[in-house]
Amino acid sequence: MIPTLEWTQEGVRLLDQRLLPARTEYLLCRDVPEVAAGIRDMVVRGAPAIGVTAAMGVALGVKQSRAADLPAMQRELDAICSTLQATRPTAVNLAWALDRMRACFQSAGREPFDRGRIAARLEQEALAVYAEDIAINQAIGRHGAVLMPEQGRVLTHCNAGALATAGYGTALGVIRAAVAQGKKLEIFADETRPYLQGARLTVWELLQDGIPARLITDSMAGHFLHHGGIRAVVVGADRIAANGDVANKIGTYSVAVLARENQVPFYVAAPVSTLDLSLASGEQIPIEERSPEEVTHFQGAPVAPAGVPAANPAFDVTPSRYVTAIITEHGVARAPFEPALKALAGKSRSAGRAVRFRDC
Ligand code: MRU
């Protein structure tokens, strides 16, 4: 797979996912407003990829700082984080990455003020977030692969692949790992209206890897779950509440209910950074409302009568009772989700402490 995003000395280089699958072009974001625009305008998308991009955005902003002392630099950091946080509200990985960069700044700020040294530490931290994300996805893949059938059809919704992460993917990471183990899977990918992440990105990614993929419209999912021999569903997540409710791409909830109706296991694959244990349930997860034009138009051409009001919530919440298991880098959580997720988050905290003590 070609890289989703890269740190360069000139700025953050993003694969422009708006142009896929027709063109593979990169957009160089040279400052924080450009990085923020890249996230907001979906040049880069997918919860972990947004988090990694935000971490690089902070490193870039601090590198360009001309602050004369630590308090001035702290004010700049606060402004950078607010700009990046305001881009997309649902994926908690964004806030997680900003918190991690803030923690790194605090730690670097304990030594005598040196702009270049602080910038270098933040750059190192952003690169660590990037590298760790790939390793985390590979671990998710290892934990999830055993849950996939030996052979048969697996359905996914949206794109939770290499393109949605620093590499390898979460839901598609599980699929990649299962296929690498020799499992004979055929992936059914929902097209994912209105933004078509399934049609434009997921099947593109799978075909590049030589994994058999079949594109279906969202409204076909029920039919194939009922009659089409789908053996499992695996999707990603943008935020998971303490009780295991899952926010993911709009349409995920319908797939989960249909999977339950047809006794098909419904798996969610996500890093621990997608857990938001401060929220008791999914009802508190903010849902991004995007432009109605994404619904009324396709590539600039109208597909609905002019002026018709349209709704466009980008995500929905699947209650945890429909979730068979949540696959993370530290293991698999099943109901009751609250203690299981708390335990997995605890494992992540101890691992994170060890890393930060060494690096930042
Ligand atoms: O609006 P998007 O394309 O950013 O939404 C992406 C999703 O909903 C993904 O399923 C989720 O972020 C998990 S990506 C590993």
Side-chain angles (χ1 to χ4, degrees):
M1 275 295 299
I2 57 172
T4 307
L5 61 135
E6 282 174 335
W7 172 262
T8 74
Q9 287 315 308
E10 288 73 46
V12 184
R13 218 170 146 251
L14 301 176
L15 176 62
D16 193 339
Q17 300 193 27
R18 300 168 303 181
L19 307 177
L20 289 171
R23 302 205 311 270
T24 47
E25 285 177 23
Y26 283 84
L27 187 78
L28 181 63
C29 303
R30 293 176 183 276
D31 56 23
V32 171
E34 287 186 7
V35 174
I39 297 173
R40 194 179 43 246
D41 300 342
M42 310 269 280
V43 176
V44 64
R45 30 68 49 202
I50 291 172
V52 176
T53 305
M56 289 185 177
V58 172
L60 181 63
V62 169
K63 187 178 160 191
Q64 293 171 342
S65 166
R66 292 292 161 262
D69 54 25
L70 192 65
M73 203 178 218
Q74 174 76 63
R75 283 192 295 279
E76 288 184 10
L77 179 82
D78 291 345
I80 291 166
C81 290
S82 319
T83 302
L84 292 167
Q85 182 58 60
T87 51
R88 296 194 71 192
T90 303
V92 75
N93 307 61
L94 176 51
W96 172 89
L98 296 177
D99 283 350
R100 180 159 162 177
M101 296 304 281
R102 278 181 189 283
C104 181
F105 180 84
Q106 296 311 330
S107 148
R110 279 189 209 112
E111 291 167 34
F113 182 68
D114 175 343
R115 228 171 29 211
R117 186 184 47 78
I118 295 176
R121 292 273 284 276
L122 288 173
E123 176 177 333
Q124 200 183 22
E125 187 74 345
L127 290 174
V129 170
Y130 177 92
E132 285 168 27
D133 187 56
I134 298 174
I136 284 169
N137 295 332
Q138 288 165 342
I140 290 173
R142 283 194 295 278
H143 288 296
V146 293
L147 301 173
M148 294 294 105
E150 282 306 316
Q151 56 179 31
R153 296 173 166 176
V154 172
L155 186 135
T156 190
H157 187 76
C158 192
N159 172 265
L163 291 168
T165 60
Y168 202 69
T170 57
L172 295 195
V174 169
I175 287 164
R176 284 194 165 94
V179 169
Q181 287 177 4
K183 296 191 171 183
K184 304 271 178 269
L185 304 183
E186 183 189 10
I187 310 310
F188 275 52
D190 289 347
E191 67 174 349
T192 319
R193 273 277 289 156
Y195 211 74
L196 301 184
Q197 287 93 333
R200 295 189 305 105
L201 309 176
T202 296
V203 290
W204 182 77
E205 231 191 277
L206 291 171
L207 294 181
Q208 280 211 336
D209 268 15
I211 298 175
R214 193 178 294 226
L215 179 63
I216 60 172
T217 67
D218 299 345
S219 50
M220 295 173 191
H223 169 79
F224 283 107
L225 282 161
H226 193 192
H227 297 295
I230 305 280
R231 307 274 306 277
V233 176
V234 59
V235 298
D238 288 84
R239 196 184 293 225
I240 301 173
N243 69 347
D245 290 354
V246 174
N248 191 47
K249 180 52 54 192
I250 192 75
T252 303
Y253 170 50
S254 323
V255 173
V257 173
L258 287 162
R260 169 58 52 86
E261 168 70 15
N262 292 286
Q263 292 91 48
V264 174
F266 179 86
Y267 298 114
V268 175
V272 165
S273 56
T274 302
L275 302 182
D276 186 350
L277 302 186
S278 73
L279 302 185
S281 83
E283 278 176 34
Q284 295 152 279
I285 297 177
I287 300 294
E288 175 182 7
E289 183 75 30
R290 293 189 63 85
S291 160
E293 282 221 346
E294 289 178 359
V295 176
T296 57
H297 288 67
F298 179 68
Q299 293 188 330
V303 293
V308 66
N312 191 12
F315 302 94
D316 61 25
V317 174
T318 298
S320 60
R321 64 181 176 277
Y322 294 109
V323 178
T324 308
I326 297 173
I327 306 158
T328 75
E329 67 273 34
H330 295 307
V332 175
R334 292 178 188 269
F337 282 105
E338 193 148 353
L341 293 177
K342 222 181 245 173
L344 291 174
K347 284 191 193 176
S348 207
R349 263 194 302 278
S350 11
R353 257 199 306 276
V355 168
R356 206 148 306 143
F357 192 69
R358 198 179 63 239
D359 290 334
C360 204

